[in-house]
Amino acid sequence: MIDYQPLYDALIDAKAEAWAKMLPQQLEQGLDQSKHGDLAQWQALVDSVPHIPTAHRVLDADAVQIGRSDELPDEYCGGDFSRPGRLKSPLQSQLKALRPWRKGPYNLFGIDIDTEWRSDWKWDRLKDHIAPLEHRLVLDVGCGNGYHCWRMLGAGAKMVVGIDPMLLNVMQFHLVRKLYGEAPVYVLPLGIEDLPYGLKAFDTVFSMGVLYHRRSPIDHLLELRDCLKSGGELVLETLVIDGGLGEVLLPEDRYARMRNVWFLPSCDTLISWLKRCGFKNIRLVDVTVTSIEEQRTTEWMTFHSLKDFLDAETPQLTSEGLPAPKRAIVIANSA
């Protein structure tokens, strides 16, 4: 069971008492087992994983590392500590029961979780451009299973709060955190619309891979601005297209087989949106075409991935004939 009291205290210190009061009920509602048919099973699985003592925790490497294989108890490695490649069941089976794992990679007591996304590549593209995270209260919107939250903690953040409404992602985080032990990192079963208006509590806010899923990108930018303290930093990563000021792609139906993709702006258009929403000191720090090496099918995510979403003869296009995924990172400050 996660102790949320340090989070409530941090929110009160950040003058976000209103959210601190709302949050216990939000968590109760968000983790209501009647809302998802598999949630009770996932929670029971997380509960069944024992506490395994370890001092090996590495948060500043490509893979988030917790524990070593030789620290597993007998029942977690077949009882044979002498044989190389000893069985890692049932821990490996428990981890695989929470597939698909999309963000990572992780190495948990010697088990490599090769996730769909090489999320470390995204972190490498932005880490040298952001303000130092030391002593900062950080929000990660749409954080998935919390991979980047751990990297933020490894970069010195005082506390990291991730929000993601997908309960499988939240349960994956809960399992990882149980293996890690107590830490000032939380992933909450919420969307940004669940945060109270006028929060202005966070020093840094990340929104990565979210903007194009929102029906109103302007409203999303205003919500992000509303979460930041005065002068706080926004780190925004999203799909973009080539083009000039005012150019935006609105897919008629699907984009790369995804239904919930709405607005893909040019970089100049994205910057103009940020200006219109009152952000300042806006910097475009990276534009990268997503490769099939960065997003792909693995044994930990066995469904179709990027390679299957591109045109077989012209991989510069999606299967719908639209420009293939290209992502930009923009950093800005609240007024």
Side-chain angles (χ1 to χ4, degrees):
M1 187 70 176
I2 292 178
D3 178 12
Y4 289 100
Q5 190 60 49
L7 172 58
Y8 304 148
D9 293 341
L11 292 176
I12 292 171
D13 289 343
K15 300 182 179 179
E17 296 92 342
W19 192 27
K21 292 178 180 178
M22 294 168 52
L23 195 48
Q25 184 177 3
Q26 287 182 317
L27 291 172
E28 182 179 355
Q29 293 175 346
L31 296 173
D32 182 350
Q33 294 184 359
S34 67
K35 292 189 174 182
H36 196 295
D38 293 321
L39 181 56
Q41 177 183 343
W42 293 337
Q43 287 184 319
L45 187 152
V46 173
D47 291 342
S48 72
V49 175
H51 171 66
I52 307 173
T54 182
H56 183 71
R57 302 179 181 90
V58 179
L59 303 181
D60 59 356
D62 293 346
V64 169
Q65 301 172 32
I66 303 171
R68 302 181 187 277
S69 59
D70 59 7
E71 294 176 309
L72 287 171
D74 285 357
E75 62 270 22
Y76 266 66
C77 55
D80 184 356
F81 281 91
S82 62
R83 181 169 61 84
R86 56 188 173 272
L87 295 175
K88 297 184 176 67
S89 296
L91 180 57
Q92 182 165 306
S93 297
Q94 290 168 317
L95 291 165
K96 285 194 171 182
L98 292 179
R99 287 184 297 184
W101 287 79
R102 297 192 180 273
K103 292 187 178 184
Y106 293 90
N107 182 285
L108 306 177
F109 289 91
I111 300 168
D112 288 314
I113 301 182
D114 186 16
T115 50
E116 177 187 17
W117 280 92
R118 287 298 306 266
S119 305
D120 53 314
W121 294 8
K122 184 180 297 186
W123 184 254
D124 287 343
R125 290 195 287 265
L126 65 84
K127 65 180 182 180
D128 294 331
H129 299 283
I130 63 175
L133 295 181
E134 284 85 353
H135 313 300
R136 288 194 167 217
L137 182 61
V138 179
L139 176 68
D140 187 3
V141 178
C143 65
N145 62 36
Y147 169 83
H148 286 122
C149 296
W150 293 110
R151 297 303 304 270
M152 294 166 196
L153 183 65
K158 177 175 65 176
M159 180 175 288
V160 183
V161 181
I163 57 173
D164 196 292
M166 294 189 63
L167 291 176
L168 177 60
N169 292 335
V170 177
M171 290 298 105
Q172 288 175 355
F173 168 78
H174 281 193
L175 194 153
V176 173
R177 194 180 190 274
K178 187 170 186 180
L179 294 174
Y180 185 94
E182 286 297 317
V185 181
Y186 303 88
V187 170
L188 312 177
L190 306 173
I192 192 169
E193 63 278 1
D194 296 311
L195 275 57
Y197 177 77
L199 194 58
K200 300 190 184 303
F202 292 93
D203 302 293
T204 303
V205 171
F206 290 80
S207 173
M208 301 189 290
V210 178
L211 184 67
Y212 50 87
H213 289 312
R214 309 298 291 186
R215 295 184 183 184
S216 172
I218 299 298
D219 285 340
H220 183 63
L221 295 177
L222 292 173
E223 289 169 333
L224 296 172
R225 186 195 69 183
D226 194 51
C227 293
L228 282 165
K229 294 179 179 177
S230 177
E233 184 169 270
L234 171 67
V235 183
L236 178 69
E237 190 263 8
T238 191
L239 290 170
V240 294
I241 58 169
D242 293 331
L245 180 62
E247 294 191 52
V248 181
L249 171 63
L250 174 62
E252 292 184 4
D253 186 16
R254 297 191 182 199
Y255 175 82
R257 307 267 181 98
M258 295 184 288
R259 289 189 181 276
N260 60 336
V261 173
W262 294 90
F263 295 91
L264 280 65
S266 67
C267 291
D268 286 344
T269 300
L270 178 59
I271 289 171
S272 74
W273 289 351
L274 287 160
K275 289 179 179 177
R276 183 66 183 268
C277 291
F279 286 94
K280 61 182 183 180
N281 193 24
I282 302 166
R283 302 89 82 191
L284 175 67
V285 301
D286 185 83
V287 179
T288 299
V289 174
T290 306
S291 70
I292 58 175
E293 291 77 32
E294 185 171 359
Q295 183 190 9
R296 70 273 194 268
T297 299
T298 74
E299 67 172 307
W300 293 88
M301 204 299 291
T302 57
F303 305 112
H304 287 169
S305 191
L306 180 60
K307 184 178 179 180
D308 307 291
F309 307 152
L310 301 177
D311 185 279
E313 296 183 359
T314 310
Q316 294 79 20
L317 300 175
T318 69
S319 57
E320 301 88 2
L322 300 171
K326 177 180 291 187
R327 293 173 175 269
I329 299 172
V330 178
I331 299 175
N333 295 97
S334 61

